[in-house]
Amino acid sequence: MFPHADEASVWLSVERANLVALARTAAAEHPEYAALFPGVLARSLKLWGAWDIAAELFDAAVPVLRTSADRPLLAQTLTAYADLLAQRNHGEALRCATEASAICQDLRDTQGSADALFQMGRAHLAAGHGGTAMSDLEQALKLYREVGDRCGEAECLNVEGMILYYAGQYDEALHNVQLMEAIYEELPDPYGLAQALNNRGELHFLQGRHADARDCYERSLALMRQHGGRPDLAILAVNLGAVHQAVGETDRALTYFQKALAAHRDSGDALGEADVLISLGTTYAQSGRRGEALLHLTMAERVATSIDNPFEKLRALIAVADVQRESGRLEIASKGYEQALEVAGRIDFPMGSAHALAGLARTASLSRRPAERAGEYGEQAIALYRRLGAEAEATSLLQFLTRHESTGS
């Protein structure tokens, strides 16, 4: 046992080659052992951020299991592989989870079916298919409740909360997080509770309740230091950095973001890398360092595209367009917002559509285009913000448009 995640990471750095060599040797000479490696090590490897090693172990195990008669173990291994792949290669994750689901249905394995459906939902969400993801998760949630799997129930509520969050339904998302938090307190499960606290902090932050957000993040951090891994600590570093940036403590925010970026890159977490690059880019933009902002935001878009994550790509597109607008490059900004609007519509992400329309309205109000263009975009954005309960964003946009209309600029 390792008392700290950093010690585990050091050990993995030293032993990585031996672990992979052992797994490959087992696959070639002792296949019955190769099939056991993921079950023993995968969870710890993922927690420590050593995702590439875990992927190697699965790549060695799955072919062996396909030739064996142990279909239940094959299904379990495919489901666990889907969990590892969900945020890195959602297409392959969906293939693994779908195959596992078919096996479990054939075996009438309710627990296995629930686990596979849950991973199918995560993969669909990563691809931007929120409606399909919600359907998978609702089925998984029903099965988890049938077998009395409280952890599975909490995880479903968590991912459903993410879908609601992306849709701008913050009150509903918060309700899911509170249900998740109650389950993990009851079990008890300190790692799950830390995740719930982090999620609640994110929702408080979106609502501008920065002190409440920071309190949740710090409580989550205290638990993650004992029970989490490097990826979890990196996520919290990004979130705490965002709080510092929101209250004007830019240098502290940048310190948190740089630390998180190094951790995500070390672990190969491309989704986390894209997220923190966007945070860095927007922070540099708000500090007037637009060149550095564009550099980091362009990198973020590239990383998001490499893993085909439409949500992070959309965030990067809008942030880049914001910088271009503030730099006076209005035509480039408009094209960026239009591209973002197309992405948001394709993945049915109404809050993203509202942000893109707001950007188009602001850009049109600054350009020589007819005033009605700004008004048209603005009306659509404000109506969408208000439908989503984002009154602060609607008010901010209305004030901007009124101010520029009155000044004629």
Side-chain angles (χ1 to χ4, degrees):
M1 287 290 293
F2 297 97
H4 302 290
D6 286 344
E7 291 186 27
S9 296
V10 170
W11 179 82
L12 279 172
S13 297
V14 174
E15 298 295 337
R16 173 175 182 153
N18 291 333
L19 279 171
V20 174
L22 187 59
R24 287 172 173 166
T25 301
E29 301 177 13
H30 303 283
E32 67 277 14
Y33 294 109
L36 301 176
F37 272 88
V40 174
L41 288 173
R43 185 177 183 279
S44 295
L45 291 170
K46 182 183 175 185
L47 187 66
W48 294 337
W51 293 3
D52 289 343
I53 300 177
E56 291 247 21
L57 298 182
F58 279 110
D59 286 338
V62 169
V64 172
L65 287 167
R66 288 193 193 284
T67 63
S68 77
D70 196 341
R71 297 183 73 215
L73 183 56
L74 173 60
Q76 291 171 23
T77 304
L78 287 167
T79 299
Y81 201 5
D83 176 64
L84 182 76
L85 291 168
Q87 302 291 1
R88 308 175 76 203
N89 184 340
H90 55 71
E92 186 60 31
L94 183 59
R95 283 187 284 274
C96 288
T98 302
E99 183 180 354
S101 177
I103 294 171
C104 290
Q105 287 182 31
D106 195 37
L107 296 173
R108 297 185 179 180
D109 178 357
T110 304
Q111 178 73 56
S113 293
D115 293 337
L117 280 164
F118 173 68
Q119 296 302 336
M120 289 169 64
R122 290 185 69 223
H124 279 303
L125 177 58
H129 305 145
T132 306
M134 187 65 87
S135 176
D136 290 334
L137 293 165
E138 282 296 313
Q139 293 180 65
L141 184 60
K142 180 181 177 182
L143 295 178
Y144 279 133
R145 286 172 172 164
E146 280 184 17
V147 298
D149 184 344
R150 298 286 278 160
C151 280
E153 182 181 348
E155 288 302 305
C156 272
L157 290 167
N158 180 30
V159 181
E160 286 184 351
M162 291 174 61
I163 297 172
L164 295 166
Y165 160 86
Y166 285 132
Q169 299 176 42
Y170 300 146
D171 290 340
E172 293 86 347
L174 181 59
H175 177 66
N176 270 44
V177 169
Q178 289 169 332
L179 291 174
M180 172 190 177
E181 189 175 339
I183 290 172
Y184 283 132
E185 284 180 333
E186 178 187 331
L187 285 174
D189 182 332
Y191 179 75
L193 180 58
Q195 288 183 302
L197 285 167
N198 174 69
N199 294 354
R200 184 147 61 93
E202 290 183 346
L203 290 167
H204 287 325
F205 181 82
L206 282 171
Q207 295 167 334
R209 298 163 59 184
H210 300 140
D212 290 337
R214 182 172 179 172
D215 176 66
C216 286
Y217 294 149
E218 289 179 344
R219 290 168 60 197
S220 177
L221 182 61
L223 290 170
M224 283 301 188
R225 282 175 172 156
Q226 298 179 59
H227 305 283
R230 291 189 72 196
D232 303 300
L233 296 175
I235 290 169
L236 282 161
V238 175
N239 289 341
L240 283 165
V243 171
H244 286 294
Q245 174 60 16
V247 298
E249 298 173 354
T250 299
D251 289 341
R252 292 194 69 184
L254 289 172
T255 298
Y256 274 106
F257 294 149
Q258 293 290 0
K259 181 180 179 181
L261 181 61
H264 284 311
R265 284 176 168 169
D266 285 347
S267 66
D269 183 355
L271 178 65
E273 181 181 354
D275 178 48
V276 73
L277 284 169
I278 293 170
S279 295
L280 279 163
T282 55
T283 301
Y284 283 130
Q286 290 167 13
S287 304
R289 297 157 67 175
R290 291 173 181 163
E292 290 172 276
L294 287 174
L295 173 64
H296 286 81
L297 293 169
T298 301
M299 287 193 292
E301 183 186 346
R302 198 169 297 145
V303 172
T305 300
S306 74
I307 58 173
D308 192 24
N309 187 290
F311 296 105
E312 296 302 314
K313 180 175 181 177
L314 176 62
R315 288 180 62 213
L317 285 169
I318 290 175
V320 167
D322 286 343
V323 176
Q324 299 288 15
R325 187 191 77 238
E326 290 160 7
S327 301
R329 294 186 281 268
L330 302 182
E331 287 299 321
I332 297 175
S334 291
K335 290 178 181 178
Y337 290 127
E338 287 167 358
Q339 187 179 356
L341 186 61
E342 187 276 327
V343 173
R346 177 163 48 84
I347 62 175
D348 191 23
F349 183 11
M351 186 60 76
S353 296
H355 290 329
L357 286 165
L360 284 166
R362 287 184 166 94
T363 303
S365 73
L366 296 171
S367 69
R368 296 180 179 177
R369 294 182 179 184
E372 56 266 22
R373 293 300 301 276
E376 177 185 341
Y377 290 133
E379 286 177 5
Q380 293 180 58
I382 290 167
L384 195 46
Y385 276 139
R386 285 178 170 162
R387 180 167 68 81
L388 297 170
E391 189 59 40
E393 288 90 341
T395 300
S396 174
L397 177 59
L398 183 59
Q399 290 173 345
F400 178 94
L401 296 175
T402 302
R403 183 168 63 253
H404 284 272
E405 182 180 0
S406 65
T407 59
S409 61

